[in-house]
């Protein structure tokens, strides 16, 4: 076996296509009965493939500057061309997020698998990697235990945030035992725990819109959802890394008003009105007003500063297995510039196995594709340097 890819998610399939395009026969080993389950899950709410954004601004959303050359080779423009090349036209929403017109992931994946099959990529389902046997790789397969020793391997096994879809990080100890440096996994793009009083139950599932989320000096416009488990949704995910690292959370409930303007509105209200009436007259939705009452009672006489900076004490991140993605993974120091593992020459890694973090909004998928392409091309170059025996 010349080339093996482990993992048939976006990064693994991209690596396989890069190897096939270089003229090499490729086997893709996928542990699950069907490929790219996380991609299909993401597509259930509308497959956000990338963000239509200038490359410098796009790359700034990642916490790993070393991804820059990979994103330059396969960034927002290339992602859109890739989708169109599979017969999936795309459109850009008002927020700049890019979606296939079909919105789902299944048409894109189906077309991609057909193209890969035409290029000779051999997808083997229910092939679960189980570790090493010397320099060889071992698998549980429908035909029983298998031991293979490819000339190059690209691993794209995902992070640790979706165990039921295959991203369970079972690979971590096998690589660590071979001297591969691993940054501990942590939840990313996750909700935060709240210890709600019974009064909040009626508002579970309700959105809080039109606010600015504050984490230290960072301010982000967005919205989130009040849930039985805490606070969830895009606005929270955008600043989740800051919060996980210890930044306090606060809300500006009137980001388009100055403190003076808000005070003026409150001053024009009738004296002696209840706090709940004042919040309602200011235009706060019931769920948002309930959040104020939950977090800040007894309310101060001067409400305006509180509404411009409402502290939100939370109980920390929700668990890793509830997160959309994970931080941590194979450390940059363990990799060459080709994403080859220094401790295991001939073995490359891509996707969310690597230690990088980004918000939702197309950034996760784009970087998975970009690193898969980079690793696949590098693996092909390594194969070209190996004499055929």
């Amino acid at each position: 076996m010349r080339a093996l890819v482990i993992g048939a998610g976006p990064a693994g399939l991209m690596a396989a296509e890069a190897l096939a395009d270089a003229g090499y026969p490729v086997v893709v080993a996928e542990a699950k009965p069907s490929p790219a389950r996380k991609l299909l899950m993401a597509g259930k709410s509308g497959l956000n493939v990338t963000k239509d954004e200038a490359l410098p601004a796009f790359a700034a959303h990642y916490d790993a500057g070393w991804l820059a050359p990979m994103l330059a080779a396969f960034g927002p423009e290339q992602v859109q061309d890739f989708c169109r090349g599979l017969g999936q036209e795309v459109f850009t929403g008002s927020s700049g997020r890019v979606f296939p017109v079909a919105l789902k992931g299944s048409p894109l994946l189906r077309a991609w698998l057909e193209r890969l099959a035409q290029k000779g990529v051999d997808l083997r389902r229910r092939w679960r990697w189980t570790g090493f046997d010397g320099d060889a790789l071992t698998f549980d397969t429908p035909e029983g235990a298998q031991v293979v020793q490819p000339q190059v391997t690209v691993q794209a096994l995902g992070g640790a945030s979706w165990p039921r879809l295959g991203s369970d990080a079972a690979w971590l100890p096998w690589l660590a035992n071979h001297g591969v440096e691993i940054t501990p996994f942590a939840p990313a793009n996750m909700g935060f725990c709240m210890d709600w009083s019974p009064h909040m139950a009626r508002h579970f599932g309700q959105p809080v819109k039109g606010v600015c989320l504050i984490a230290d000096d960072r301010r982000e416009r967005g919205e989130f959802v009040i849930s039985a488990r805490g606070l969830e949704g895009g606005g929270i995910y955008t600043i989740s890394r800051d919060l996980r690292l210890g930044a306090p959370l606060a809300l500006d409930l009137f980001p388009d008003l100055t403190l003076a303007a808000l005070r003026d509105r409150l001053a024009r209200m009738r004296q002696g009105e209840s706090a709940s009436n004042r919040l309602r007259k200011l235009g706060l939705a019931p769920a948002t007003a309930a959040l104020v009452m939950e977090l800040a009672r007894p309310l101060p006489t001067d409400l305006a500063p509180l509404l411009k900076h409402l502290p939100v004490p939370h109980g920390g991140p929700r668990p890793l297995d509830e997160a959309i993605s994970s931080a941590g993974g194979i450390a940059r120091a363990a990799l060459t510039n080709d994403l080859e593992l220094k401790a295991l020459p001939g073995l490359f890694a891509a996707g969310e196995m690597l230690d990088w973090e980004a918000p939702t909004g197309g950034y996760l998928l784009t970087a998975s594709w970009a690193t898969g392409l980079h690793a696949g091309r590098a693996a092909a170059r390594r194969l070209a340097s190996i004499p055929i025996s």
Side-chain angles (χ1 to χ4, degrees):
M1 184 183 295
R2 299 210 72 190
L4 172 68
V5 175
I6 308 178
L13 294 178
M14 187 63 82
E17 185 154 35
L19 281 156
D21 285 344
Y24 297 106
V26 187
V27 171
V28 178
E30 168 55 43
K32 294 293 186 179
S34 57
R37 290 191 168 195
K38 191 173 177 182
L39 177 75
L40 294 176
M41 176 64 76
K44 286 189 175 182
S45 57
L47 184 64
N48 180 196
V49 293
T50 194
K51 184 82 174 284
D52 190 3
E53 199 169 33
L55 188 59
F58 185 86
H61 287 277
Y62 297 85
D63 71 337
W66 51 271
L67 288 174
M70 302 171 210
L71 296 171
F74 198 83
E77 289 187 15
Q78 291 82 5
V79 167
Q80 294 176 70
D81 290 341
F82 168 75
C83 293
R84 295 185 189 104
L86 291 169
Q88 302 302 305
E89 287 301 320
V90 296
F91 71 94
T92 301
S94 58
S95 65
R97 297 184 179 196
V98 179
F99 302 86
V101 170
L103 290 177
K104 301 177 182 178
S106 50
L108 185 146
L109 178 61
R110 187 164 50 248
W112 195 11
L113 291 174
E114 290 174 359
R115 187 168 78 184
L116 291 171
Q118 291 168 2
K119 293 180 178 183
V121 173
D122 179 6
L123 175 59
R124 300 184 184 179
R125 305 163 195 257
R126 295 189 175 92
W127 269 56
R128 179 178 296 278
W129 184 44
T130 56
F132 293 95
D133 181 0
D135 293 333
L137 302 163
T138 59
F139 291 85
D140 279 340
T141 80
E143 293 77 36
Q146 301 285 334
V147 180
V148 299
Q149 193 163 6
Q151 292 179 306
V152 297
T153 301
V154 178
Q155 293 190 330
L157 290 152
S161 62
W162 286 81
R164 65 189 178 89
L165 298 181
S167 296
D168 57 9
W171 51 266
L172 192 155
W174 304 325
L175 295 185
N177 289 341
H178 278 73
V180 177
E181 181 183 347
I182 305 291
T183 302
F185 278 113
N189 292 299
M190 65 294 186
F192 283 79
C193 303
M194 296 292 292
D195 185 15
W196 300 119
S197 73
H199 303 290
M200 290 299 293
R202 74 184 72 175
H203 302 290
F204 292 165
Q206 295 301 307
V208 175
K209 299 182 177 182
V211 303
C212 182
L213 297 97
I214 306 166
D216 279 339
D217 295 332
R218 185 174 178 185
R219 296 174 61 90
E220 296 286 348
R221 296 290 287 262
E223 62 182 73
F224 58 89
V225 173
I226 298 170
S227 78
R229 299 180 296 185
L231 304 176
E232 304 176 17
I236 291 290
Y237 302 155
T238 299
I239 58 170
S240 61
R241 181 174 186 269
D242 304 75
L243 301 183
R244 189 186 71 235
L245 296 177
L249 172 62
L251 302 174
D252 182 349
L253 302 181
F254 293 91
D256 296 321
L257 288 180
T258 64
L259 178 61
L262 185 56
R263 273 195 174 124
D264 183 59
R265 284 194 184 186
L266 287 162
R268 292 200 299 268
M269 293 182 185
R270 191 173 66 238
Q271 294 297 314
E273 278 195 294
S274 68
S276 58
N277 272 345
R278 298 172 84 193
L279 295 176
R280 178 179 57 80
K281 288 184 175 181
L282 284 171
L284 291 184
T288 308
L291 193 61
V292 176
M293 301 296 284
E294 175 78 4
L295 298 176
R297 283 188 297 181
L299 299 184
T301 303
D302 185 2
L303 265 180
L306 177 71
L307 300 180
K308 290 291 290 178
H309 195 279
L310 176 67
V312 184
H314 57 79
R318 296 296 304 166
L320 181 56
D321 63 2
E322 293 181 14
I324 290 177
S325 60
S326 54
I330 299 173
R332 174 64 183 89
L335 301 161
T336 69
N337 290 338
D338 282 340
L339 301 183
E340 187 174 14
L341 298 180
K342 294 177 182 177
L344 293 165
L347 198 157
F348 300 76
E352 291 191 45
M353 289 182 76
L354 308 180
D355 180 19
W356 56 269
E357 187 175 353
T360 57
Y363 302 103
L364 297 169
L365 185 51
T366 298
S368 292
W369 274 328
T371 56
L373 179 63
H374 189 83
R377 286 174 172 172
R381 290 194 298 271
R382 184 174 179 84
L383 272 178
S385 70
I386 300 174
I388 299 177
S389 56

